[in-house]
Amino acid sequence: MSAASNLAPAAAVPGRRSGSKRVLPGFNLTLGYTLFWLGLIVLVPLSALVLRSFTLTGEQFWVAVSSPRVLAAYKLTFGASLIAALVNLVFGLLLAWVLVRYTFPGKKIVDALVDLPFALPTAVAGISLTALLAGNGWVGRYLEPMGIKLAFTPAGIVIALIFIGLPFVVRTVQPVLEDTEKELEEAATCLGASRWQTFSRVIFPSIAPALLTGFAMAFARAIGEYGSVIFIAGNMPMISEITPLIIIGKLEQYDYAGATAVAVVMLAISFVLLLVINGLQAWQRRRTGMSQ
Amino acid sequence: MSAPAKTPPPRGIPKRSVTTEAPWVRRTLIGISLVFLFLFLILPLAAVFTEALRKGLDAYLDALKEPDAWSAIELTLITAAISVPLNLVFGVAAAWCIAKFEFRGKAFLTTLIDLPFSVSPVVAGLMYVLVFGSNGWFGNWLSEHDIKIIFAVPGIVLATVFVTFPFIARELIPLMQAQGTDEEQAAIVLGASGWQTFWHVTLPNIKWGLIYGVILCNARAMGEFGAVSVVSGHIRGQTNTVPLHVEILYNEYQSVAAFAAASLLALLALVTLVIKSVVEWRSERERAAADLPPEKPPALPVPGASA
């Protein structure tokens, strides 16, 4: 997306500006098909959701999205997602750092394994984490005598969301960290900076946009997550019921209007997060563009 | 591996490089990461197989021989076999028009393609219920013509296509953008048709990215839970995919059977990771082999310039 890559085809294809002569064929066909498929799969169903919410009066909508049970679910979903994304921010950065900068036996396997949460179906992650953390599980067995109960509590939700969001921060920070220039660090060290100063003043600013992007992606994913959470949450209204489960609950009671209203709120949140992520990525591109 | 580090340092120069940390810091950081990965990734994975085999291999195999399990496996395979090729065609078409041409609204189109990633799977399922469900937009028309989409296989396929929509496109777009259009233009100028150019020039260049996108798309298609759960109706033996089958067995306290079905999905995940690593490894090697001659000359002046 740099200026150079945008200029190259323009220079090579003189007729580009008029739009009438393109050397490569297939523009109309592929663009047409892309728009058709995008409309059919994404835009028509999305507008069905938004238009359906307009059939509610303002008051009906407000009652559906602001009942105490729904508000408790928003709070839980946001709180758990935020904590999980913060944990992933710290450990994701650590993992990316270790994978890029150090060598150790089994590094390639560790690197491949980081993507496990992307590849493992969420329902499998959900039942497996529940089995581990339940009172008779491998981990729960040692934690429950100490008074720490994770399964079927909001803390369990955070654990599931940490699992789900783990690869995002690692995979956004890793390539940026690989591209950072060692010369800058050498210069900082030569000028008398300690290793920590070099990290916080030289390396960290260059990876900050990527770090925030990964954080926002992990957060966005956690907000909408359903499969891994419902097994471990216990799903008690007001305590451990997440927002997607509210939608499912309303659907099971044939309350389509209520489900739609809550879904529109979630959709609006996703849009905002998508815009934030896009903005962060643009910032990252400017950063790397400047340093090159 | 650490051969260069082991050679005795010349006088006056500290043993370790200035751009790395003290050994104890390094070891601590590696140790913390490995413990974290062990707790969050390896333990859950191991728990799936242990729980599945808790009552022995026979109980495990019996759970998989059940007819409901088989129909769930069959439906999962059918769903993936339809939705992955559909998204493959879309992904290639989208990447071709976005990466090879300039047009107004391109950035917006790219954002729209990414959109399904940020929509909650449950919301995605609900959208299709509102379009095709009994009181949805086309509900009346569909029931008059006796076509079932929601609580039937077409709905499951549609929901799966939605959640896997961006996978292949977003893998191919940056790759094809980086490759530019020079090779394709040369082929066209030399008289190749559009299809010939695509098959003989573009496809070999993007094949690793394509495989990468397809296996990730497939893993998600086979494992999707939330969206499919909303549109499937959970009819045993008919509209249950493997993840939904896992849920039903788990809620019925048939732990071994649930984990047996889950172990199939965990195996799928492991196979996906292996193929993905091999693809990354191969494409990196190919790129290194192809790029070495042209990239060396411009790489030379850089150290001099920044020194």
Side-chain angles (χ1 to χ4, degrees):
Chain A
M1 287 305 283
S2 68
S5 74
N6 282 343
L7 282 176
V13 189
R16 190 189 74 90
R17 207 160 299 161
S18 70
S20 59
K21 255 186 91 180
R22 297 174 199 270
V23 172
L24 292 184
F27 175 69
N28 290 331
L29 177 73
T30 53
L31 182 66
Y33 182 72
T34 302
L35 292 177
F36 163 74
W37 196 237
L38 184 74
L40 190 72
I41 296 294
V42 179
L43 300 181
V44 168
L46 259 181
S47 43
L49 180 73
V50 175
L51 290 178
R52 173 63 78 96
S53 74
F54 289 155
T55 61
L56 280 81
T57 65
E59 204 192 326
Q60 281 173 319
F61 185 86
W62 184 246
V63 168
V65 300
S66 67
S67 74
R69 191 171 160 183
V70 179
L71 287 180
Y74 294 146
K75 233 170 150 181
L76 174 69
T77 307
F78 268 94
S81 303
L82 193 65
I83 298 171
L86 284 172
V87 171
N88 277 330
L89 182 77
V90 174
F91 283 94
L93 174 61
L94 178 68
L95 270 170
W97 181 266
V98 165
L99 285 173
V100 172
R101 292 300 177 102
Y102 304 150
T103 52
F104 53 93
K107 180 172 144 171
K108 279 203 166 156
I109 297 172
V110 169
D111 196 5
L113 210 60
V114 167
D115 281 326
L116 182 71
F118 282 160
L120 192 71
T122 52
V124 179
I127 63 169
S128 161
L129 288 171
T130 312
L132 281 176
L133 297 176
N136 56 356
W138 289 347
V139 178
R141 186 182 308 169
Y142 300 106
L143 292 180
E144 291 214 340
M146 288 153 62
I148 305 170
K149 211 170 148 11
L150 295 177
F152 315 119
T153 66
I157 301 178
V158 175
I159 302 280
L161 295 179
I162 292 174
F163 176 87
I164 291 302
L166 174 66
F168 286 101
V169 175
V170 183
R171 292 301 183 227
T172 44
V173 172
Q174 209 175 3
V176 182
L177 208 51
E178 269 163 7
D179 284 349
T180 54
E181 290 162 74
K182 283 248 163 138
E183 287 83 359
L184 288 177
E185 291 170 46
E186 281 166 16
T189 313
C190 290
L191 293 169
S194 73
R195 192 62 194 143
W196 174 250
Q197 282 173 324
T198 310
F199 177 79
S200 59
R201 304 268 178 89
V202 177
I203 304 171
F204 188 78
S206 71
I207 59 172
L211 201 57
L212 278 175
T213 307
F215 170 79
M217 284 175 162
F219 182 67
R221 173 73 202 264
I223 294 271
E225 179 56 24
Y226 174 71
S228 59
V229 173
I230 52 156
F231 294 101
I232 206 168
N235 304 329
M236 275 176 299
M238 305 297 293
I239 297 168
S240 56
E241 191 181 37
I242 52 165
T243 320
L245 190 65
I246 294 268
I247 298 176
I248 299 267
K250 285 184 187 290
L251 269 181
E252 277 168 0
Q253 294 160 9
Y254 300 102
D255 178 10
Y256 285 85
T260 307
V262 177
V264 165
V265 171
M266 285 197 72
L267 197 63
I269 296 166
S270 325
F271 278 142
V272 171
L273 284 171
L274 188 66
L275 288 179
V276 170
I277 292 170
N278 269 356
L280 286 169
Q281 280 170 335
W283 181 28
Q284 173 72 50
R285 276 195 297 271
R286 280 201 304 275
R287 264 287 157 83
T288 48
M290 259 155 45
S291 73
Q292 268 162 10
Chain B
M1 198 166 58
S2 52
K6 283 217 177 106
T7 50
R11 66 218 135 67
I13 296 174
K15 196 170 178 182
R16 71 191 169 86
S17 152
V18 292
T19 54
T20 191
E21 288 73 40
W24 70 268
V25 177
R26 262 193 330 247
R27 276 186 218 122
T28 316
L29 293 181
I30 293 174
I32 296 172
S33 335
L34 291 183
V35 169
F36 180 78
L37 280 184
F38 177 78
L39 286 177
F40 275 89
L41 297 183
I42 302 196
L43 267 188
L45 195 60
V48 173
F49 294 103
T50 330
E51 291 285 328
L53 292 167
R54 210 176 41 183
K55 289 187 181 151
L57 196 62
D58 288 337
Y60 175 79
L61 292 175
D62 282 346
L64 294 181
K65 276 185 203 143
E66 223 194 313
D68 283 350
W70 269 106
S71 68
I73 293 170
E74 205 178 311
L75 182 57
T76 296
L77 292 176
I78 291 171
T79 307
I82 301 172
S83 51
V84 174
L86 284 175
N87 277 334
L88 176 65
V89 174
F90 163 75
V92 172
W96 182 266
C97 72
I98 288 175
K100 305 287 182 192
F101 299 97
E102 292 300 319
F103 57 93
R104 210 182 279 259
K106 194 159 103 164
F108 185 60
L109 182 62
T110 316
T111 307
L112 282 181
I113 290 174
D114 270 349
L115 193 61
F117 270 159
S118 48
V119 174
S120 169
V122 170
V123 176
L126 174 65
M127 294 181 341
Y128 285 100
V129 172
L130 293 177
V131 175
F132 299 110
S134 55
N135 63 356
W137 278 3
F138 304 123
N140 281 334
W141 187 87
L142 289 170
S143 61
E144 272 165 28
H145 292 77
D146 208 24
I147 304 170
K148 264 190 91 80
I149 290 186
I150 298 303
F151 306 142
V153 178
I156 295 175
V157 172
L158 277 172
T160 306
V161 170
F162 181 89
V163 292
T164 56
F165 191 78
F167 273 96
I168 296 169
R170 73 148 38 184
E171 208 54 61
L172 291 183
I173 291 169
L175 185 66
M176 282 166 73
Q177 267 172 342
Q179 284 167 352
T181 55
D182 295 353
E183 291 184 33
E184 280 85 0
Q185 280 169 8
I188 297 286
V189 170
L190 291 171
S193 74
W195 279 114
Q196 283 174 324
T197 308
F198 177 75
W199 282 109
H200 298 293
V201 178
T202 311
L203 201 58
N205 277 337
I206 61 169
K207 65 171 186 271
W208 294 121
L210 205 62
I211 297 172
Y212 192 95
V214 165
I215 56 157
L216 288 182
C217 181
N218 178 63
R220 181 73 195 262
M222 289 189 171
E224 177 51 29
F225 179 76
V228 170
S229 154
V230 175
V231 297
S232 102
H234 302 267
I235 307 164
R236 255 189 129 129
Q238 283 179 41
T239 60
N240 259 352
T241 60
V242 178
L244 298 180
H245 189 61
V246 169
E247 184 201 17
I248 288 187
L249 293 172
Y250 188 81
N251 288 341
E252 289 173 351
Y253 300 103
Q254 300 190 42
S255 172
V256 168
F259 277 100
S263 74
L264 293 180
L265 295 170
L267 277 179
L268 167 76
L270 287 178
V271 170
T272 303
L273 289 187
V274 169
I275 299 177
K276 184 180 157 292
S277 305
V278 170
V279 166
E280 273 171 351
W281 182 61
R282 293 282 303 259
S283 73
E284 219 157 84
R285 228 177 33 171
E286 237 166 64
R287 203 169 45 221
D291 280 1
L292 224 47
E295 214 165 80
K296 266 220 169 131
L300 280 173
V302 175
S306 61

